[in-house]
Amino acid sequence: MASSIKEIFSKDNFSKNKKLVLLSATVALLLVTAIAGITVGASKANENGKRTLTPSSHAVLTSACISTRYPELCISTVATSGGVELTSQKDVIEASLNLTKTVVEHNYFTVKKLIKKRKGLTPREKTALHDCLETNDETLDELHEAVEDLHLYPNKKSLREHAGDLKTLISSAITNQETCLDGFSHDGADKKVRKALFKGQMHVEHMCSNALAMIKNMTDTDITNFELKAKFTSNNRKLKEETTVAVDMASVGDLDADGWPTWLSAGDRRLLQGSTVEADATVAADGSGTFTTVAAAVAAAPENSNKRYVIHIKAGVYRENVDVAKKKKNIMFMGDGRTTTIITASRNAVDGWPTFSSATVAVVGERFLARDITFQNTAGPSKEQAVALRVGSDFSAFYQCDMLAYQDTLYVHSNRQFFVNCLIVGTVDFIFGNAAVVLQDCDIHARRPGPGQKNMVTAQGRTDPNQNTGIVIQNCRIGATSDLLSVKSSFPTYLGRPWKEYSHTVIMQSDISDVIRPEGWFEWSGTFALNTLTYREYANTGAGAGTGDRVKWKDFKVITDAAEAEPYTAGQFIGGGGWLASTGFPFSLGL
């Protein structure tokens, strides 16, 4: 069976057979039942006559699974799949990922069945279930891409590039499971639907967690060995280049002689070098362009394009919700100015929208760029979660953009992201999510919230300690809007709180005004995550930057050594040296 799974998900067959694979529900259900019912150490032949693992394969499996958070699941899942020969940790990871894909298929059909057959679903529940279809579909693509990357490992790309890509893919897959379940957190009926999904989603999350732990163990070991070898191989140019660069676990590839990424097309390079950008489509509310809505322009853009597709959005107010789906790659939104080109809507939790679907603009297609635009949600402080911009696009960047809302303004959902010279305004948890994201030279302003509310600048959502995710705020200005300044003593404002168990946030080299309380940080609920979070501050200035009265949590720390802060720079944390130059936006790779 292992060989047939690999064949189905091969590079050539996956895209054209994806729908057929997803329709094979019976096969998926049988495999998932087999996986779920097994115990640790099952190495003998099962009732279906599958071949058992050889003693050597079982030894490799057991050794690989030691590094995982759920070792019993890791061993039992692969040991009972039958018919695989395991000679390395890489083999174990690939087998685990292929089996995980099968469970994702099962979850996908569970969601479809609920949509079709469950009676009495509210509009919110139906929307949340469709969000689950989207996140499960994205997970399937991410797992497939990870397997393809493993096939190439370690020779096609640098070790750091492989490590960064693999960890990002699986980190995003884990986040997607949480996102599905988060859509059912509002009332009693939601919780019943959540219960129907919980076991399957968590099964995938735990399997992905195991794969991520093994990937980290494998790549960390290989990089360490590579660097030790490099010290004694001074005449090898590539080795010298790799060792002179600081360890960059999220690197995204080689640069040519002029400092441009090697994957960047000649056309895109000319586009970025030019003083003006030529648009492929123009949106104008007054009818003077090729489209009158942004959504229509996105719908007409090519799918899976390797070439930058520029959509010029003329000055105007565009009252619509826009979805840049995963197949809409290399899209660029170019506005006429952050105060004149405005995309606005008002979806919100109180009116029945899950947080994920409340976004005015949602971006998933990779390598998305935007500049000189405002993304806005006008729902207001009484409407609870109401997202202005949600981003799940890998290698995405935003320049001179405004994100304006109240609770949950900017949803940095997943993958690698960069924001520079932007304005983010909000109240509760107004920069949140589980991307690997760096914000540089941004103005981050708390505003007056609703009665009894507290302002939280961040709410980072890392759920696994091995995820390469977190929020880094560097060289920014954290302050308040005028409506909050006069009443700031009535509405406490904090740098953040831990949304998920391994919440990871760093504020460094930024100006922090006295709108931030001396404690700096706030708990989510009692002692939840206070012993597992990672919160850091480094070299901040301003009236609110003093750390003498900061919280005394176990994993809050003030960094005093530049070397300890270096991993949080754009060059290392999001591998910016390999892709930020291609955006044409300003950036800093170091401290």
Side-chain angles (χ1 to χ4, degrees):
M1 181 58 70
S3 60
S4 64
I5 291 174
K6 184 173 180 179
E7 180 180 321
I8 288 172
F9 287 102
S10 69
K11 184 174 183 180
D12 293 334
N13 291 335
F14 181 77
S15 296
K16 64 183 179 181
N17 289 339
K18 185 175 176 185
K19 290 183 179 179
L20 179 61
V21 170
L22 289 175
L23 289 174
S24 303
T26 303
V27 175
L29 286 168
L30 286 172
L31 284 170
V32 170
T33 301
I35 292 169
I38 358 204
T39 57
V40 178
S43 60
K44 59 185 178 181
N46 61 27
E47 293 177 359
N48 295 324
K50 292 179 182 177
R51 288 194 297 117
T52 63
L53 289 180
T54 63
S56 61
S57 289
H58 208 287
V60 169
L61 173 62
T62 303
S63 176
C65 289
I66 288 174
S67 65
T68 68
R69 300 182 69 207
Y70 310 99
E72 292 185 359
L73 174 66
C74 179
I75 294 170
S76 65
T77 299
V78 177
T80 54
S81 62
V84 291
E85 184 67 25
L86 306 173
T87 61
S88 66
Q89 188 172 33
K90 176 181 169 181
D91 289 344
V92 177
I93 296 168
E94 182 174 347
S96 179
L97 290 176
N98 277 325
L99 291 165
T100 305
K101 287 189 285 187
T102 305
V103 186
V104 176
E105 293 168 36
H106 167 69
N107 289 348
Y108 184 91
F109 282 103
T110 297
V111 175
K112 293 200 77 171
K113 184 177 179 180
L114 284 170
I115 293 172
K116 183 177 181 180
K117 295 187 176 182
R118 195 174 187 103
K119 296 179 180 180
L121 289 172
T122 66
R124 183 206 303 277
E125 290 166 350
K126 290 179 181 178
T127 302
L129 285 169
H130 281 284
D131 291 344
C132 287
L133 289 180
E134 179 179 340
T135 54
N136 274 291
D137 190 45
E138 289 172 9
T139 299
L140 197 58
D141 282 345
E142 287 156 353
L143 296 176
H144 171 72
E145 189 174 342
V147 170
E148 291 302 315
D149 199 86
L150 275 174
H151 289 166
L152 302 173
Y153 184 87
N155 299 315
K156 182 67 175 179
K157 300 180 283 189
S158 73
L159 287 173
R160 297 187 185 99
E161 183 181 359
H162 274 300
D165 288 348
L166 284 167
K167 289 195 289 186
T168 296
L169 287 165
I170 307 306
S171 292
S172 181
I174 291 172
T175 300
N176 284 335
Q177 311 316 300
E178 290 283 329
T179 300
C180 172
L181 295 175
D182 285 341
F184 305 94
S185 58
H186 291 279
D187 52 43
D190 282 342
K191 290 178 175 62
K192 291 179 182 177
V193 181
R194 188 180 190 275
K195 185 176 181 180
L197 298 171
F198 183 82
K199 186 175 180 180
Q201 296 296 136
M202 292 308 296
H203 193 141
V204 170
E205 182 165 340
H206 291 170
M207 292 177 76
C208 286
S209 172
N210 286 341
L212 180 61
M214 289 187 285
I215 286 168
K216 185 177 187 301
N217 180 272
M218 177 182 73
T219 57
D220 284 359
T221 300
D222 289 347
I223 288 171
T224 298
N225 292 337
F226 179 84
E227 291 178 336
L228 288 173
K229 180 181 178 181
K231 291 180 180 179
F232 302 100
T233 321
S234 59
N235 62 341
N236 184 307
R237 183 185 64 83
K238 185 172 183 179
L239 290 178
K240 285 196 293 182
E241 289 175 351
E242 292 257 349
T243 53
T244 55
V245 178
V247 175
D248 181 353
M249 296 302 290
S251 179
V252 294
D254 296 327
L255 304 179
D256 65 18
D258 295 320
W260 293 90
T262 53
W263 55 261
L264 189 69
S265 70
D268 275 4
R269 178 167 170 171
R270 286 193 298 271
L271 174 74
L272 294 166
Q273 288 176 315
S275 57
T276 60
V277 177
E278 183 177 344
D280 296 286
T282 301
V283 181
D286 62 7
S288 62
T290 47
F291 300 94
T292 58
T293 67
V294 181
V298 172
E303 294 186 346
N304 298 314
S305 175
N306 291 320
K307 177 181 178 295
R308 178 68 59 197
Y309 187 87
V310 179
I311 299 175
H312 174 208
I313 308 172
K314 285 189 172 183
V317 178
Y318 299 86
R319 303 184 188 280
E320 56 178 310
N321 292 90
V322 181
D323 183 13
V324 182
K326 66 179 179 180
K327 290 185 179 180
K328 299 291 183 176
K329 300 177 181 179
N330 279 296
I331 300 290
M332 179 179 187
F333 284 2
M334 183 176 63
D336 279 344
R338 61 206 300 176
T339 62
T340 56
T341 297
I342 301 169
I343 308 174
T344 183
S346 59
R347 290 178 180 173
N348 62 85
V350 171
D351 291 342
W353 291 95
T355 303
F356 188 80
S357 291
S358 71
T360 297
V361 175
V363 178
V364 180
E366 66 180 41
R367 301 190 187 278
F368 177 86
L369 301 179
R371 62 174 297 165
D372 301 306
I373 295 175
T374 285
F375 304 94
Q376 181 175 256
N377 190 311
T378 60
S382 65
K383 294 290 189 175
E384 300 178 2
Q385 296 90 341
V387 176
L389 174 67
R390 168 169 56 84
V391 185
S393 167
D394 203 14
F395 309 132
S396 56
F398 297 78
Y399 175 47
Q400 294 183 166
C401 290
D402 292 358
M403 298 85 186
L404 310 177
Y406 289 84
Q407 183 169 346
D408 290 0
T409 302
L410 175 59
Y411 192 173
V412 287
H413 179 264
S414 55
N415 291 305
R416 291 162 283 198
Q417 308 176 16
F418 181 72
F419 295 79
V420 60
N421 195 15
C422 291
L423 170 66
I424 303 100
V425 176
T427 56
V428 181
D429 306 335
F430 66 94
I431 303 173
F432 77 109
N434 196 28
V437 58
V438 174
L439 298 96
Q440 282 184 359
D441 193 26
C442 290
D443 291 284
I444 300 169
H445 290 171
R447 68 194 306 176
R448 181 170 180 160
Q453 289 184 327
K454 298 178 179 67
N455 287 329
M456 305 289 165
V457 174
T458 66
Q460 206 283 328
R462 187 172 64 160
T463 59
D464 191 296
N466 291 316
Q467 287 179 299
N468 62 345
T469 56
I471 295 171
V472 175
I473 295 174
Q474 181 188 21
N475 287 319
C476 292
R477 295 157 294 279
I478 300 174
T481 57
S482 58
D483 65 339
L484 176 62
L485 282 175
S486 60
V487 292
K488 63 183 180 182
S489 61
S490 300
F491 299 98
T493 299
Y494 299 88
L495 293 172
R497 59 177 180 165
W499 180 28
K500 303 286 185 179
E501 187 175 2
Y502 293 93
S503 187
H504 187 195
T505 304
V506 179
I507 316 289
M508 63 184 192
Q509 299 173 304
S510 294
D511 182 85
I512 304 174
S513 82
D514 63 0
V515 72
I516 298 299
R517 294 275 300 174
E519 308 95 291
W521 308 84
F522 200 76
E523 66 270 11
W524 182 270
S525 178
T527 60
F528 170 75
L530 300 189
N531 292 322
T532 51
L533 58 77
T534 301
Y535 285 174
R536 300 288 185 266
E537 293 184 50
Y538 171 69
N540 297 309
T541 58
T547 57
D549 294 322
R550 287 293 195 254
V551 293
K552 308 303 180 186
W553 302 338
K554 173 178 173 287
D555 286 305
F556 165 74
K557 182 179 180 181
V558 178
I559 297 174
T560 57
D561 184 355
E564 191 176 345
E566 195 70 36
Y568 296 110
T569 60
Q572 292 195 39
F573 196 67
I574 56 172
W579 66 280
L580 286 178
S582 71
T583 67
F585 300 163
F587 61 91
S588 172
L589 294 178
L591 293 172

